Amino acid sequence: MDNREVELLKKALERQKKARLQAEKILEEKSQELYSLSRQLKETNERLENLLSEKTSELEGVFINIVDPYLVMDIEGNVIRMNAAASQLLGYDLAYEKFNLQQLVHPEYIEYTKESFQQLYKVGTLKNYRAKILVKDKSVRFVQVNSSLIYDKDRNPIAAQGIIRDITKENEVEALLSEQKKQLDIIVQNSPLGIVLTVGSTIIKVNKAFSDLIGYTNSELKNLSVKEISEPEDYKVSKEYQSAMERGEIDDFSIVKRYFTKEGTTILAKTSVSAVKDPSGTIAYEVAIVEDITKEKEAEEQIKASENRLATLITNLHIGVLLENENRAISLTNQQFCDIFQIPATPDQLKGADCSNAAEENKHHFKDPKGFVQRIITILRDQKVVLSDELEMKDGRILERDYIPIFSDGIYKGHLWTYNDVTIRKNYKQNLEIQKEKYWSIIANMNLGLIEVDNQDVIQLVNQSFCTMSGYKEKELLGKKAVEILKVQGENIILEKGKERLKGKSDSYEIQVKTKKNELRYWLISGAPRYDEGGVVVGSIGIHLDITALKKLELQKELLLKELEASNLGLQEYAHIVSHDLKSPLRSISALATWLHDDNKDVLDETGLFNLQMMQEKVEGMDKLIDGILKYSSIKSETLEESVVDLNQVVNEIREIIFIPGHVSIVIMNPLPILQADATKMHQLFQNLISNAVISIDKEEGIVAIDVQDKKDYWEFSIKDNGTGIPEEYHEKIFQIFQSIGTKERSTGIGLNIVKKIIDLYQGEIWLDSKVGEGTTFYFTLKK
């Protein structure tokens, strides 16, 4: 949820609070009017008493029609009147049921509620009582209540009235805001960038990163101004930007500033400042994000120096170099390139020249001019590295050509061509070093941890990713024995793998290791022997991948599976015990009802006989419900007994078992498949769906059509009827346990849930297409 949504919620809450306060004020005013009228009742005659009664009725009419939930209860807490808003909130309808407010109170709030009711009876009013309640559908609501007592003419309390305000969302928003504040504090305090909150030049607050950056504590910085820790020239520039912000010309700015540390040194930092304004548009304070770029600047200078050295090197290389930008304009070349292709111009003169047609212009130098041009077109189109492309020239020279595309953040920036005259390999060693340097840059910066050790397990080389994974710096690792400095649990595995490398074997394995900070991590290592130029094993090289997160997920999965198995076993045992305990009294009730009917059928009237029949039907319904629960609890993959099942035969058996009215036909549209499945589960699956279809038919001629389609990996079945149809709002609900449509006495609300559970066991899905009054089609799939 972003800040805008939070602000909208806050405003909505404020509007609700104002509306509730206004309603409460009306309640207090009307209550006071009622109380005044009650006092006058003692002093006036019967005429005024009737007038008071009229006023009271008028007042109740006002309360009943207010927007907020309003109710009246007797002294024991029984609700005797409430408006529509209260009925909607609590879920009860006084026209059909009675209830007591105390039964709604959540167990955690019972004692608090008792004390509040005592306060109401003692003082006569109860303001801002907050509690957690359980409404009729057992959902939890947080409410705030303002109430007062109602007295008779002798000032004896006879009832209480009150307005209930649902503050559930308000509590949720408050909790959300609190959580977001905590998260924001955590982000700020743990940010690797320095964060400074200021008003003008006064420092209000800083995070740990900024404090560590310049060496001052938070309390010390509060006694300093931004000016005191800034280089004067840079501070002057920043003040000009701040003035522009105050004038409303800009909302933020970014500059590079120098800061003074507590030790007296100077650091260079990129500072981004944003203005935070109050509702009137005035700047309340400024937030500055400070990033130390001292090392970055040093690195830039080193890069520039390296570029200069590289340009000098390229100029003096004995290979032809051509660097083109993304538009194929020459950025850099050298004299050797000009000499190779006999170009009558200097490298400086070629800068900026368009190379789009260079292949056509120079193809006459090669034995296969057409192949030379086509090869360049292919290379430029693919934009993939090409090394050691061999070119044969007309004058007998042989060139080796490399093509290297250049990307920055995934964006193509040009390419580098190198041409080397390898007719005689004068420059073999130098070329080898260039290639090694080029690929080492890639290895050093890859995300996987890399380590090289010699045959004595002494670390020769590590990349930055390995340092990050282990927590050690490069200088702490180089020259040390890996098994001694790295805290590997079961260090013998490292020694054993070292022996395998001496035999020239490569493999992958997992280890548990503790980092420098003593954190337990899991690494997947791919190890291989390292050879010298003569093919002799001189050590080993390992690529490391941190799989800690994956390991933790595996451990959690195993624990959850064990807990789930225990829970399922307990539930199944409980279902069998409960069903046995329930069926015994049901049989007794059924027998007693039968005896009562047989003994008194000549004495009882129609109503009595009907009631006995209803009792038997309810007992039968309860028996079906218990059987359904047992079937539901027994459906699990461990109990599947696989066998060859002919679904055509299953449907025919179901025709013989269930009651099918004479006007209803069950038709198999296409032959059903023969499956390798549990016969009982398939029987349950089709019987539930076919029975539901038959029961739903209200037409003079009913039909249930069963069809199947052969998909690639699964069977797709359909069972279609021309019955009453199912309203759209029930399409999801009917698959939930104990949920059924309408008030059909024979429905337990378990059948379709059993169907869904069986389909889940066979990795299938179930859905329906239905129109009220036209019929329903159930679709489901079973994996082959």
Side-chain angles (χ1 to χ4, degrees):
M1 183 178 293
D2 58 25
N3 289 336
R4 177 175 177 81
E5 291 175 331
V6 172
E7 287 297 323
L8 289 174
L9 285 173
K10 284 182 178 180
K11 290 179 179 179
L13 281 175
E14 287 300 323
R15 289 195 295 270
Q16 287 183 357
K17 287 179 180 178
K18 289 179 180 179
R20 298 302 188 275
L21 289 174
Q22 186 176 0
E24 291 168 5
K25 184 177 179 182
I26 293 173
L27 176 61
E28 290 180 2
E29 291 174 356
K30 293 300 181 179
S31 298
Q32 185 63 37
E33 181 182 349
L34 180 61
Y35 176 68
S36 299
L37 289 173
S38 298
R39 291 188 59 187
Q40 292 174 15
L41 189 62
K42 294 180 180 180
E43 303 170 359
T44 59
N45 55 22
E46 188 66 27
R47 183 179 61 81
L48 292 177
E49 191 170 279
N50 293 335
L51 178 60
L52 177 61
S53 176
E54 293 174 3
K55 287 291 184 180
T56 302
S57 298
E58 179 184 345
L59 178 61
E60 289 180 352
V62 171
F63 284 137
I64 290 298
N65 291 291
I66 63 176
V67 176
D68 289 312
Y70 164 78
L71 57 78
V72 180
M73 68 176 185
D74 62 19
I75 297 302
E76 285 73 31
N78 297 309
V79 178
I80 56 180
R81 193 166 187 181
M82 63 181 177
N83 64 359
S87 179
Q88 182 179 4
L89 172 63
L90 302 179
Y92 291 92
D93 188 342
L94 286 178
Y96 303 101
E97 56 192 335
K98 303 295 183 183
F99 68 100
N100 189 293
L101 280 182
Q102 297 184 31
Q103 75 188 54
L104 306 185
V105 179
H106 193 278
E108 298 173 3
Y109 283 75
I110 290 177
E111 290 301 323
Y112 167 61
T113 301
K114 287 180 179 178
E115 295 174 1
S116 299
F117 269 62
Q118 291 172 1
Q119 179 72 11
L120 172 64
Y121 298 143
K122 181 179 179 181
V123 180
T125 60
L126 182 63
K127 292 187 177 182
N128 298 328
Y129 156 75
R130 291 193 173 199
K132 183 162 62 173
I133 65 172
L134 296 170
V135 297
K136 186 177 180 181
D137 64 2
K138 302 305 180 184
S139 62
V140 175
R141 293 285 189 277
F142 288 90
V143 296
Q144 178 176 303
V145 179
N146 286 288
S147 62
S148 61
L149 289 177
I150 298 175
Y151 301 90
D152 61 14
K153 62 183 180 179
D154 297 322
R155 289 296 295 161
N156 294 318
I158 58 172
Q161 62 182 350
I163 287 181
I164 304 173
R165 184 160 64 90
D166 187 352
I167 60 171
T168 305
K169 288 189 177 180
E170 180 179 331
N171 283 4
E172 292 174 354
V173 171
E174 289 177 356
L176 177 61
L177 291 174
S178 176
E179 182 62 24
Q180 286 186 337
K181 184 178 182 301
K182 290 179 183 178
Q183 292 174 357
L184 182 59
D185 289 341
I186 291 172
I187 292 171
V188 169
Q189 288 303 319
N190 293 281
S191 172
L193 302 177
I195 300 176
V196 185
L197 185 67
T198 63
V199 175
S201 185
T202 304
I203 297 174
I204 306 300
K205 188 175 181 180
V206 302
N207 69 345
K208 185 176 182 299
F210 186 77
S211 180
D212 293 342
L213 184 63
I214 64 174
Y216 289 101
T217 64
N218 200 335
S219 57
E220 288 173 335
L221 285 168
K222 287 182 179 179
N223 296 321
L224 297 173
S225 66
V226 176
K227 182 177 181 180
E228 291 176 282
I229 60 173
S230 301
E231 204 283 334
E233 291 182 5
D234 297 338
Y235 178 74
K236 183 179 179 181
V237 175
S238 66
K239 283 298 292 182
E240 292 175 356
Y241 281 114
Q242 281 183 310
S243 297
M245 277 202 312
E246 291 171 358
R247 293 192 300 269
E249 297 173 1
I250 58 174
D251 291 325
D252 53 62
F253 65 89
S254 180
I255 63 171
V256 175
K257 285 183 63 176
R258 286 163 289 180
Y259 292 93
F260 302 129
T261 68
K262 188 175 181 179
E263 296 176 352
T265 59
T266 303
I267 62 168
L268 192 65
K270 180 182 178 182
T271 305
S272 301
V273 181
S274 300
V276 180
K277 300 180 180 180
D278 60 22
S280 66
T282 304
I283 296 177
Y285 49 86
E286 300 92 19
V287 178
I289 308 298
V290 181
E291 179 183 1
D292 184 3
I293 60 171
T294 305
K295 292 183 179 179
E296 182 180 326
K297 282 294 182 182
E298 292 175 355
E300 285 182 4
E301 293 175 359
Q302 292 176 359
I303 290 172
K304 287 181 180 178
S306 297
E307 288 176 350
N308 292 333
R309 289 194 296 270
L310 181 62
T312 302
L313 176 64
I314 289 175
T315 302
N316 294 282
L317 279 177
H318 292 289
I319 60 173
V321 176
L322 176 64
L323 180 64
E324 299 177 14
N325 63 19
E326 62 271 27
N327 299 316
R328 295 214 62 194
I330 296 176
S331 299
L332 179 69
T333 187
N334 64 353
Q335 187 59 48
Q336 185 70 15
F337 177 81
C338 297
D339 293 343
I340 289 174
F341 293 101
Q342 301 173 8
I343 299 173
T346 64
D348 288 338
Q349 292 172 334
L350 290 176
K351 282 186 179 180
D354 186 3
C355 291
S356 301
N357 200 40
E360 286 289 341
E361 294 173 353
N362 291 281
K363 66 182 181 181
H364 61 276
H365 291 298
F366 300 92
K367 279 190 175 181
D368 182 10
K370 185 177 180 180
F372 169 75
V373 174
Q374 185 59 44
R375 178 59 175 157
I376 286 182
I377 292 173
T378 302
I379 290 173
L380 293 174
R381 181 193 63 210
D382 294 343
Q383 292 185 351
K384 295 180 179 179
V385 174
V386 177
L387 301 176
S388 302
D389 234 16
E390 191 172 283
L391 305 172
E392 192 172 356
M393 305 188 73
K394 282 186 176 179
D395 60 7
R397 289 180 297 161
I398 297 176
L399 304 180
E400 270 190 0
R401 177 179 62 191
D402 294 339
Y403 166 81
I404 303 173
I406 301 170
F407 294 91
S408 177
D409 296 328
I411 300 174
Y412 176 70
K413 293 294 184 180
H415 50 263
L416 175 70
W417 298 100
T418 64
Y419 294 88
N420 187 23
D421 187 347
V422 294
T423 309
I424 52 175
R425 296 185 173 272
K426 293 182 179 179
N427 299 317
Y428 172 74
K429 187 175 181 180
Q430 185 178 5
N431 183 63
L432 190 63
E433 289 297 323
I434 292 172
Q435 298 296 324
K436 182 179 178 181
E437 184 70 21
K438 177 174 61 178
Y439 286 106
W440 167 241
S441 176
I442 297 173
I443 293 172
N445 292 285
M446 68 182 180
N447 291 327
L448 298 174
L450 179 141
I451 184 173
E452 288 184 10
V453 298
D454 61 16
N455 289 335
Q456 285 72 46
D457 197 38
V458 176
I459 298 173
Q460 305 296 310
L461 180 147
V462 293
N463 68 350
Q464 182 57 45
S465 293
F466 185 87
C467 294
T468 303
M469 290 170 61
S470 64
Y472 292 95
K473 296 180 180 178
E474 182 180 5
K475 62 183 180 181
E476 294 176 318
L477 294 171
L478 296 181
K480 307 289 177 53
K481 278 199 171 186
V483 73
E484 292 177 356
I485 192 168
L486 299 174
K487 306 169 190 175
V488 179
Q489 297 194 9
E491 62 183 36
N492 290 336
I493 190 173
I494 302 298
L495 300 176
E496 291 172 1
K497 295 299 179 182
K499 293 177 182 178
E500 294 293 317
R501 301 295 170 260
L502 291 173
K503 298 176 183 178
K505 294 182 178 179
S506 302
D507 62 4
S508 297
Y509 57 97
E510 295 179 13
I511 64 170
Q512 296 181 45
V513 62
K514 288 188 176 181
T515 65
K516 185 178 179 180
K517 294 182 179 179
N518 218 31
E519 296 176 346
L520 181 63
R521 311 296 292 179
Y522 294 85
W523 290 353
L524 175 64
I525 302 176
S526 179
R530 187 165 60 91
Y531 300 92
D532 63 8
E533 295 179 358
V536 178
V537 176
V538 294
S540 61
I541 182 170
I543 303 296
H544 299 64
L545 174 65
D546 192 330
I547 59 171
T548 306
L550 181 61
K551 277 291 181 183
K552 288 181 178 178
L553 286 174
E554 289 178 356
L555 295 173
Q556 290 176 2
K557 179 183 176 182
E558 292 176 3
L559 180 62
L560 288 173
L561 285 174
K562 290 179 181 178
E563 292 176 355
L564 184 60
E565 289 174 359
S567 177
N568 286 339
L569 181 60
L571 285 173
Q572 188 175 4
E573 292 175 353
Y574 177 79
H576 282 82
I577 293 170
V578 170
S579 64
H580 178 272
D581 292 342
L582 288 177
K583 280 200 170 188
S584 179
L586 281 177
R587 295 189 191 101
S588 299
I589 293 171
S590 178
L592 288 171
T594 302
W595 296 341
L596 188 60
H597 177 272
D598 294 339
D599 294 341
N600 299 280
K601 61 185 177 181
D602 298 326
V603 178
L604 294 172
D605 57 9
E606 290 185 0
T607 301
L609 293 173
F610 175 77
N611 289 336
L612 285 175
Q613 182 183 352
M614 289 296 293
M615 185 185 300
Q616 287 285 24
E617 290 182 0
K618 296 298 182 183
V619 170
E620 290 176 7
M622 188 65 182
D623 189 74
K624 289 180 180 178
L625 180 61
I626 293 170
D627 287 336
I629 293 173
L630 275 174
K631 290 177 182 177
Y632 178 80
S633 65
S634 65
I635 297 175
K636 54 182 182 178
S637 58
E638 293 84 357
T639 61
L640 295 178
E641 297 181 3
E642 301 290 333
S643 62
V644 176
V645 180
D646 186 344
L647 295 181
N648 300 282
Q649 183 178 348
V650 169
V651 173
N652 289 331
E653 290 174 357
I654 292 170
R655 284 196 184 105
E656 301 296 326
I657 294 172
I658 67 173
F659 171 73
I660 303 174
H663 68 285
V664 176
S665 301
I666 298 178
V667 181
I668 298 177
M669 307 302 292
N670 289 305
L672 301 179
I674 297 174
L675 305 180
Q676 188 74 21
D678 187 300
T680 303
K681 298 296 185 289
M682 292 297 103
H683 199 284
Q684 287 178 307
L685 170 60
F686 279 85
Q687 181 173 333
N688 274 296
L689 290 173
I690 293 171
S691 296
N692 285 350
V694 171
I695 292 170
S696 71
I697 292 175
D698 59 349
K699 309 294 189 301
E700 291 183 0
E701 291 186 9
I703 184 167
V704 178
I706 304 171
D707 203 358
V708 65
Q709 291 188 24
D710 187 352
K711 303 293 184 180
K712 181 179 180 182
D713 299 318
Y714 56 87
W715 298 101
E716 181 179 298
F717 298 88
S718 65
I719 298 180
K720 181 179 181 181
D721 65 67
N722 62 338
T724 57
I726 300 174
E728 187 174 352
E729 61 266 24
Y730 289 98
H731 285 192
E732 295 294 333
K733 178 182 176 183
I734 58 175
F735 294 109
Q736 300 173 10
I737 192 166
F738 303 126
Q739 300 292 330
S740 61
I741 302 173
T743 57
K744 292 181 181 178
E745 292 294 329
R746 289 181 290 174
S747 176
T748 63
I750 298 178
L752 284 177
N753 193 265
I754 289 175
V755 166
K756 187 176 187 307
K757 196 169 182 181
I758 293 172
I759 291 171
D760 288 343
L761 286 178
Y762 288 91
Q763 301 178 41
E765 295 180 358
I766 183 168
W767 68 97
L768 70 148
D769 183 15
S770 180
K771 290 185 178 180
V772 176
E774 296 182 15
T776 302
T777 303
F778 278 91
Y779 298 91
F780 63 94
T781 62
L782 297 176
K783 189 174 181 181
K784 290 185 179 178

